[in-house]
Coordinates of all heavy atoms in Angstrom, one line a residue:
M1442 N 141.2 91.1 59.7 CA 141.7 92.0 58.7 C 141.6 93.5 59.1 O 140.6 93.9 59.6 CB 140.9 91.8 57.4 CG 141.2 92.8 56.3 SD 140.1 92.8 55.0 CE 139.8 91.1 54.7
K1443 N 142.7 94.2 58.9 CA 142.7 95.6 59.3 C 142.3 96.5 58.2 O 142.8 96.3 57.0 CB 144.1 96.0 59.8 CG 144.3 95.7 61.3 CD 145.3 96.6 61.8 CE 145.4 96.5 63.4 NZ 146.3 97.4 63.9
T1444 N 141.4 97.4 58.4 CA 140.9 98.2 57.4 C 141.4 99.7 57.7 O 141.3 100.2 58.8 CB 139.4 98.2 57.3 OG1 138.9 96.9 57.3 CG2 138.9 99.0 56.1
R1445 N 142.0 100.3 56.6 CA 142.4 101.7 56.8 C 141.2 102.6 56.7 O 140.3 102.3 55.9 CB 143.4 102.0 55.7 CG 144.7 101.2 55.8 CD 145.6 101.7 54.7 NE 146.7 100.8 54.5 CZ 147.6 101.0 53.6 NH1 147.5 102.0 52.8 NH2 148.6 100.1 53.4
P1446 N 141.3 103.7 57.4 CA 140.1 104.7 57.4 C 139.8 105.1 56.0 O 138.7 105.3 55.6 CB 140.6 105.8 58.3 CG 141.6 105.2 59.2 CD 142.3 104.0 58.4
A1447 N 140.9 105.3 55.2 CA 140.7 105.8 53.8 C 139.9 104.8 53.0 O 139.0 105.2 52.2 CB 142.0 106.1 53.2
I1448 N 140.2 103.5 53.2 CA 139.4 102.5 52.5 C 138.0 102.4 53.0 O 137.1 102.3 52.2 CB 140.2 101.2 52.7 CG1 141.5 101.2 52.0 CG2 139.3 100.0 52.1 CD1 142.4 100.0 52.2
C1449 N 137.9 102.5 54.3 CA 136.5 102.5 54.9 C 135.7 103.6 54.3 O 134.5 103.4 53.9 CB 136.7 102.6 56.4 SG 135.1 102.7 57.2
N1450 N 136.2 104.8 54.2 CA 135.4 105.9 53.7 C 135.0 105.8 52.3 O 134.0 106.3 51.8 CB 136.2 107.2 53.9 CG 136.3 107.6 55.4 OD1 135.3 107.3 56.1 ND2 137.3 108.2 55.8
R1451 N 135.9 105.2 51.5 CA 135.6 105.1 50.1 C 134.6 104.0 49.8 O 134.0 104.0 48.8 CB 136.9 104.8 49.3 CG 137.7 106.0 48.9 CD 139.0 105.7 48.4 NE 139.0 104.7 47.3 CZ 140.0 104.1 46.8 NH1 141.2 104.4 47.2 NH2 139.9 103.2 45.8
K1452 N 134.6 103.0 50.6 CA 133.8 101.8 50.3 C 132.4 102.0 50.7 O 132.0 102.9 51.5 CB 134.3 100.6 51.1 CG 135.5 99.9 50.4 CD 136.0 98.8 51.2 CE 137.0 98.0 50.5 NZ 136.5 96.9 49.7
K1453 N 131.6 101.2 50.0 CA 130.2 101.2 50.3 C 129.9 100.5 51.6 O 130.6 99.5 52.0 CB 129.4 100.5 49.2 CG 128.0 101.0 49.0 CD 127.5 100.3 47.7 CE 126.2 101.0 47.3 NZ 125.7 100.4 46.1
R1454 N 129.0 101.0 52.4 CA 128.7 100.4 53.7 C 127.3 99.8 53.7 O 126.4 100.3 53.1 CB 128.7 101.5 54.8 CG 130.1 101.9 55.2 CD 130.1 103.0 56.2 NE 131.4 103.6 56.2 CZ 131.6 104.9 56.7 NH1 130.6 105.6 57.1 NH2 132.8 105.4 56.7
F1455 N 127.3 98.7 54.3 CA 126.0 98.0 54.5 C 125.7 97.8 56.0 O 126.6 97.5 56.8 CB 126.0 96.6 53.8 CG 126.3 96.8 52.4 CD1 127.6 96.7 51.9 CD2 125.3 96.9 51.4 CE1 127.9 96.8 50.5 CE2 125.6 97.0 50.1 CZ 126.9 97.0 49.7
A1456 N 124.5 98.1 56.3 CA 124.1 98.0 57.7 C 124.1 96.6 58.2 O 124.3 96.3 59.4 CB 122.7 98.7 57.9
T1457 N 123.7 95.7 57.3 CA 123.6 94.3 57.7 C 124.4 93.4 56.8 O 124.6 93.8 55.6 CB 122.2 93.8 57.8 OG1 121.7 93.8 56.4 CG2 121.3 94.7 58.6
R1458 N 124.8 92.3 57.2 CA 125.5 91.3 56.4 C 124.6 90.8 55.2 O 125.1 90.6 54.1 CB 125.9 90.1 57.3 CG 126.6 89.1 56.5 CD 127.0 88.0 57.5 NE 128.1 88.3 58.3 CZ 129.4 88.2 58.0 NH1 129.7 87.8 56.8 NH2 130.4 88.6 58.8
E1459 N 123.3 90.7 55.6 CA 122.4 90.3 54.5 C 122.4 91.2 53.3 O 122.4 90.8 52.2 CB 121.0 90.1 55.1 CG 120.8 88.9 56.0 CD 121.5 89.1 57.3 OE1 121.7 90.2 57.8 OE2 121.8 88.1 58.0
A1460 N 122.3 92.5 53.6 CA 122.3 93.5 52.5 C 123.5 93.4 51.7 O 123.5 93.5 50.5 CB 122.1 94.9 53.2
A1461 N 124.7 93.2 52.4 CA 125.9 93.2 51.7 C 126.0 91.9 50.8 O 126.5 91.9 49.7 CB 127.1 93.2 52.7
E1462 N 125.5 90.8 51.4 CA 125.6 89.6 50.6 C 124.7 89.6 49.4 O 124.9 88.9 48.4 CB 125.2 88.4 51.5 CG 126.4 88.0 52.4 CD 126.0 86.9 53.4 OE1 124.9 86.6 53.6 OE2 127.0 86.4 54.0
E1463 N 123.6 90.3 49.5 CA 122.7 90.4 48.4 C 123.3 91.1 47.2 O 123.2 90.7 46.1 CB 121.4 91.2 48.8 CG 120.3 91.0 47.9 CD 119.0 91.7 48.4 OE1 118.7 91.6 49.6 OE2 118.4 92.4 47.6
V1464 N 124.0 92.2 47.5 CA 124.8 92.9 46.5 C 125.9 92.1 45.9 O 126.1 92.0 44.7 CB 125.3 94.2 47.0 CG1 126.2 94.9 46.0 CG2 124.2 95.1 47.4
A1465 N 126.6 91.3 46.8 CA 127.7 90.5 46.4 C 127.2 89.4 45.4 O 127.8 89.0 44.5 CB 128.3 89.9 47.6
A1466 N 126.0 88.9 45.7 CA 125.4 87.8 44.9 C 125.1 88.3 43.5 O 125.1 87.5 42.5 CB 124.2 87.3 45.5
R1467 N 124.8 89.6 43.4 CA 124.4 90.1 42.0 C 125.7 90.5 41.2 O 125.6 90.8 40.0 CB 123.5 91.3 42.2 CG 122.1 91.0 42.6 CD 121.3 92.2 42.7 NE 120.1 92.0 43.6 CZ 119.4 92.9 44.1 NH1 119.7 94.2 43.8 NH2 118.3 92.7 44.8
A1468 N 126.8 90.7 41.9 CA 128.0 91.1 41.2 C 128.5 90.0 40.2 O 128.3 88.9 40.5 CB 129.0 91.5 42.2
P1469 N 129.0 90.5 39.1 CA 129.5 89.5 38.1 C 130.8 88.8 38.6 O 131.3 87.9 37.9 CB 129.8 90.4 36.9 CG 130.0 91.7 37.4 CD 129.2 91.8 38.7
F1470 N 131.4 89.2 39.7 CA 132.5 88.6 40.2 C 132.4 88.3 41.7 O 131.4 88.7 42.3 CB 133.8 89.4 39.9 CG 133.5 90.9 40.2 CD1 133.6 91.4 41.4 CD2 133.2 91.7 39.1 CE1 133.4 92.8 41.7 CE2 133.0 93.0 39.3 CZ 133.0 93.6 40.6
K1471 N 133.3 87.5 42.1 CA 133.2 87.0 43.5 C 133.5 88.1 44.5 O 134.6 88.7 44.4 CB 134.2 85.9 43.7 CG 134.0 85.2 45.1 CD 132.8 84.3 45.1 CE 132.7 83.7 46.5 NZ 131.4 83.1 46.7
L1472 N 132.6 88.4 45.4 CA 132.9 89.4 46.4 C 132.7 88.7 47.8 O 131.8 87.8 48.0 CB 131.9 90.5 46.3 CG 132.1 91.5 45.1 CD1 130.9 92.4 45.0 CD2 133.4 92.2 45.3
R1473 N 133.5 89.2 48.7 CA 133.3 88.7 50.1 C 132.9 89.8 51.0 O 133.2 91.0 50.8 CB 134.7 88.2 50.5 CG 135.0 86.8 50.0 CD 136.4 86.4 50.5 NE 136.6 86.6 51.9 CZ 137.7 87.0 52.5 NH1 138.7 87.3 51.7 NH2 137.8 87.2 53.7
V1474 N 132.1 89.4 51.9 CA 131.5 90.4 52.9 C 132.4 90.3 54.2 O 132.7 89.2 54.6 CB 130.1 90.0 53.2 CG1 129.6 91.0 54.3 CG2 129.3 90.0 52.0
Y1475 N 132.7 91.4 54.7 CA 133.5 91.4 55.9 C 133.0 92.6 56.8 O 132.6 93.6 56.3 CB 135.0 91.5 55.7 CG 135.5 92.8 55.2 CD1 136.0 93.8 56.0 CD2 135.5 93.0 53.8 CE1 136.5 95.0 55.6 CE2 136.0 94.2 53.3 CZ 136.5 95.2 54.2 OH 137.0 96.4 53.7
K1476 N 133.1 92.4 58.1 CA 132.7 93.4 59.0 C 133.9 94.3 59.3 O 135.0 93.9 59.5 CB 132.2 92.8 60.3 CG 131.6 93.9 61.2 CD 130.9 93.2 62.4 CE 130.2 94.3 63.1 NZ 129.6 93.7 64.4
C1477 N 133.6 95.6 59.1 CA 134.7 96.6 59.3 C 134.7 97.0 60.8 O 133.7 97.2 61.4 CB 134.3 97.9 58.5 SG 135.5 99.2 58.7
S1478 N 136.0 97.0 61.3 CA 136.2 97.3 62.7 C 136.2 98.8 62.9 O 136.1 99.2 64.1 CB 137.5 96.7 63.2 OG 138.5 97.1 62.3
L1479 N 136.2 99.6 61.9 CA 136.2 101.0 62.0 C 134.8 101.6 62.2 O 134.4 102.3 63.1 CB 136.9 101.7 60.9 CG 138.4 101.5 60.8 CD1 139.0 102.0 59.5 CD2 139.1 102.2 62.0
C1480 N 134.0 101.2 61.2 CA 132.6 101.8 61.2 C 131.6 100.8 61.7 O 130.4 101.1 61.8 CB 132.2 102.3 59.8 SG 132.2 100.9 58.6
R1481 N 132.0 99.6 61.9 CA 131.1 98.5 62.5 C 130.0 98.2 61.5 O 129.0 97.6 61.9 CB 130.5 99.0 63.8 CG 131.5 99.5 64.7 CD 131.7 98.5 65.9 NE 132.8 99.0 66.7 CZ 133.4 98.2 67.6 NH1 133.1 96.9 67.7 NH2 134.4 98.6 68.3
R1482 N 130.3 98.5 60.2 CA 129.3 98.1 59.2 C 130.0 97.0 58.4 O 131.1 96.6 58.6 CB 128.9 99.3 58.3 CG 128.4 100.4 59.1 CD 126.9 100.2 59.5 NE 126.5 101.1 60.5 CZ 125.5 101.9 60.4 NH1 124.8 102.0 59.3 NH2 125.2 102.7 61.4
F1483 N 129.3 96.7 57.2 CA 129.9 95.7 56.4 C 130.3 96.3 55.1 O 129.7 97.1 54.5 CB 128.8 94.6 56.2 CG 128.5 93.9 57.4 CD1 127.4 94.3 58.2 CD2 129.2 92.7 57.8 CE1 127.1 93.6 59.4 CE2 128.9 92.0 59.0 CZ 127.8 92.5 59.8
H1484 N 131.4 95.8 54.6 CA 131.9 96.2 53.3 C 132.1 94.9 52.4 O 132.1 93.8 52.9 CB 133.3 96.8 53.4 CG 133.4 98.1 54.2 ND1 132.6 99.2 53.8 CD2 134.0 98.4 55.3 CE1 132.8 100.2 54.7 NE2 133.7 99.7 55.6
L1485 N 132.3 95.2 51.2 CA 132.6 94.1 50.2 C 134.0 94.2 49.8 O 134.5 95.3 49.6 CB 131.6 94.2 49.0 CG 130.2 94.0 49.3 CD1 129.3 94.2 48.0 CD2 129.9 92.6 49.8
T1486 N 134.6 93.1 49.6 CA 135.9 93.1 49.0 C 136.1 92.0 48.0 O 135.4 91.0 48.1 CB 137.0 92.9 50.1 OG1 138.3 92.9 49.5 CG2 136.8 91.6 50.8
S1487 N 136.8 92.3 47.0 CA 137.1 91.3 45.9 C 138.4 90.7 46.1 O 138.8 89.9 45.3 CB 137.0 92.0 44.5 OG 137.9 93.1 44.5
R1488 N 139.0 91.0 47.2 CA 140.4 90.4 47.4 C 140.3 89.0 47.8 O 139.5 88.6 48.7 CB 141.0 91.2 48.5 CG 141.7 92.5 48.1 CD 142.7 92.9 49.0 NE 143.2 94.3 48.8 CZ 143.9 94.9 49.6 NH1 144.4 94.3 50.7 NH2 144.3 96.1 49.4
T1489 N 141.1 88.2 47.2 CA 141.2 86.8 47.6 C 142.6 86.4 47.9 O 143.0 85.3 48.0 CB 140.7 85.9 46.4 OG1 141.3 86.3 45.2 CG2 139.2 86.1 46.3
K1490 N 143.4 87.4 48.1 CA 144.9 87.2 48.3 C 145.1 86.4 49.7 O 146.1 85.7 49.8 CB 145.6 88.5 48.4 CG 146.1 88.9 47.0 CD 147.0 90.1 47.1 CE 147.4 90.5 45.7 NZ 148.2 91.7 45.7
G1491 N 144.2 86.6 50.6 CA 144.4 85.9 51.9 C 144.1 84.5 51.8 O 144.4 83.7 52.7
M1492 N 143.4 84.1 50.7 CA 143.0 82.7 50.6 C 144.2 81.9 50.0 O 144.8 82.3 49.1 CB 141.8 82.6 49.6 CG 140.6 83.2 50.2 SD 139.3 83.1 49.1 CE 137.9 83.4 50.2
K1493 N 144.3 80.7 50.6 CA 145.4 79.9 50.1 C 145.0 79.0 49.0 O 144.0 78.2 49.2 CB 146.0 79.1 51.3 CG 146.8 80.0 52.2 CD 147.6 79.1 53.2 CE 148.4 80.0 54.0 NZ 149.2 79.3 55.1
L1494 N 145.7 79.0 47.9 CA 145.4 78.1 46.8 C 146.4 77.0 46.9 O 147.5 77.2 47.3 CB 145.5 78.8 45.5 CG 144.5 79.9 45.3 CD1 144.8 80.7 44.0 CD2 143.1 79.3 45.1
P1495 N 146.0 75.8 46.5 CA 146.9 74.7 46.5 C 148.1 75.0 45.5 O 147.8 75.4 44.4 CB 146.1 73.5 46.1 CG 144.9 74.1 45.5 CD 144.7 75.4 46.1
P1496 N 149.3 74.7 45.9 CA 150.4 75.0 45.0 C 150.4 74.1 43.8 O 150.1 72.9 43.9 CB 151.7 74.8 45.9 CG 151.2 73.9 47.0 CD 149.7 74.2 47.2
R1497 N 150.8 74.6 42.7 CA 150.9 73.8 41.5 C 152.1 72.9 41.5 O 153.1 73.3 41.8 CB 150.9 74.7 40.3 CG 149.6 75.4 40.0 CD 149.3 75.2 38.5 NE 147.9 75.6 38.2 CZ 147.5 75.8 37.0 NH1 148.3 75.6 36.0 NH2 146.2 76.1 36.8
D1498 N 151.9 71.8 41.0 CA 153.0 70.8 40.9 C 153.7 71.1 39.6 O 153.2 70.9 38.5 CB 152.4 69.4 40.9 CG 153.6 68.4 41.1 OD1 154.7 68.8 41.1 OD2 153.3 67.2 41.2
P1499 N 154.9 71.6 39.6 CA 155.6 72.1 38.4 C 156.2 70.9 37.6 O 156.5 71.0 36.4 CB 156.8 72.9 38.9 CG 157.0 72.4 40.3 CD 155.7 71.9 40.9
G1500 N 156.4 69.8 38.3 CA 157.1 68.7 37.6 C 156.2 67.7 36.8 O 156.7 66.9 36.1
G1501 N 154.9 67.8 37.0 CA 154.1 66.8 36.4 C 154.4 65.4 37.0 O 154.7 64.5 36.3
S1502 N 154.3 65.4 38.3 CA 154.7 64.1 38.9 C 153.6 63.0 38.8 O 152.5 63.3 38.3 CB 154.9 64.4 40.4 OG 153.7 64.8 41.0
G1503 N 154.0 61.8 39.1 CA 153.0 60.7 39.0 C 153.0 60.1 37.7 O 152.2 59.2 37.4
C1504 N 154.0 60.4 36.8 CA 154.0 59.8 35.5 C 154.9 58.5 35.6 O 156.1 58.6 35.8 CB 154.6 60.8 34.5 SG 154.4 60.2 32.8
A1505 N 154.3 57.4 35.5 CA 155.1 56.2 35.6 C 155.7 55.8 34.3 O 155.2 55.1 33.5 CB 154.1 55.1 36.2
Ligands
ZN201 ZN1 134.2 100.7 57.4

């Protein structure tokens, strides 16, 4: 994942993955830890857009 400098500067930085994961675990929502290629530290992101969800079956198939 490419991180823009502006985003990097705005985000909180963690020196270690452990520190970032600890904060992520306390958050009321799901956060992911990733290593930033700009500052070489760790950031948290709530984005899940990159994750693929199984497509919904619109037709309700399987009804015999
Ligand atoms: Zn960064």
Side-chain angles (χ1 to χ4, degrees):
M1442 170 191 321
K1443 275 208 171 181
T1444 309
R1445 294 186 197 177
I1448 294 175
C1449 173
N1450 286 329
R1451 271 171 55 187
K1452 277 181 173 267
K1453 210 169 189 180
R1454 283 177 198 157
F1455 300 93
T1457 65
R1458 179 177 287 274
E1459 284 75 22
E1462 282 178 346
E1463 198 179 310
V1464 173
R1467 286 184 201 165
F1470 40 83
K1471 185 78 180 167
L1472 288 171
R1473 280 177 50 218
V1474 179
Y1475 70 93
K1476 188 171 187 184
C1477 179
S1478 55
L1479 290 172
C1480 64
R1481 312 251 172 196
R1482 306 280 164 125
F1483 295 91
H1484 296 302
L1485 295 175
T1486 181
S1487 55
R1488 278 203 196 171
T1489 51
K1490 273 189 181 174
M1492 293 178 163
K1493 285 195 178 172
L1494 296 170
R1497 285 228 171 168
D1498 192 355
S1502 60
C1504 191

